Amino acid sequence: MSENATSEFAAIEHANADAPPAPPPGGKPPARVVVQWKGPGTMAFEGGKAKGGPRITVDNTGKAEPGPVDTLLIALAACTTEDVLTILDKRRTPATRLQIEVEGKRANAVPARLTDVHLRYIVDGEGIDRANTLRAIELAVTKYCSVRDSLDKSITVDWSLVLNGSES
C-alpha cells in the first residue's frame, strides 16, 4: 500500500472514529491491518491493526522473527486454543496449562504451500476428561475457528492430545 493510500485510509478511519463500524448483515466488520516493510537489507515487515495497537514483526527469511507461514500456524493454534479453553471452562473443567505444538508440512513446489497441519494439544487440569477435551478440540478446529475456516479445504488439519502427561 502506498504512503498516500495509507494516509487516505487513516483519514477515513479518523473521520469515523466516533462511530463504531456497522457490521455487515450477519457478520463481523472487516478486519483491517497495515503492514510496513522495515527497510533495505531486510525482508522483515511490521504489521498491526489499522487503528493502531500492538504490532508484530514477520521476517520472510524466518531468521530474526517468525516467517509468514509460521505466523499463519501460530494464528491457527491461537484461534483453536481460545475455543478449547472456552469449551473446557463451560464444562467447569478449566485448563491450568495449554500448549500446542504445530507442524505444518509444505509442498515441494513454488509456492511451498501448506499441505498438512498437525496440532498437538498439551493440556493439564484437574478433572478434565479426555473424550470431552477431544470433542472440544474437534469443535474448535472443524466448527468455530475462523482461521481454519479461511484456509484452503485441501489442507488436512488433524490433532492429537496429551492430557495431564498421558498421550493415550
Side-chain angles (χ1 to χ4, degrees), residues 8-115:
E8 288 173 6
F9 187 73
I12 291 168
E13 288 293 311
H14 180 70
N16 297 326
D18 295 337
K28 289 186 173 187
R32 291 188 173 104
V33 299
V34 174
V35 177
Q36 171 120 14
W37 175 44
K38 292 191 87 165
T42 74
M43 276 300 177
F45 302 85
E46 186 177 86
K49 290 183 175 254
K51 289 188 173 189
R55 303 185 63 74
I56 64 168
T57 299
V58 177
D59 178 2
N60 283 14
T61 67
K63 294 177 183 170
E65 303 284 345
V69 173
D70 301 325
T71 305
L72 180 64
L73 294 173
I74 291 167
L76 175 63
C79 182
T80 62
T81 299
E82 175 186 7
D83 297 321
V84 170
L85 290 171
T86 300
I87 293 167
L88 291 176
D89 280 347
K90 286 181 179 178
R91 294 194 56 80
R92 294 188 173 96
T93 55
T96 56
R97 182 176 96 89
L98 196 154
Q99 174 179 317
I100 302 179
E101 297 171 354
V102 184
E103 179 180 72
K105 294 182 181 172
R106 298 178 68 181
N108 187 18
V110 176
R113 64 184 293 280
L114 287 168
T115 57

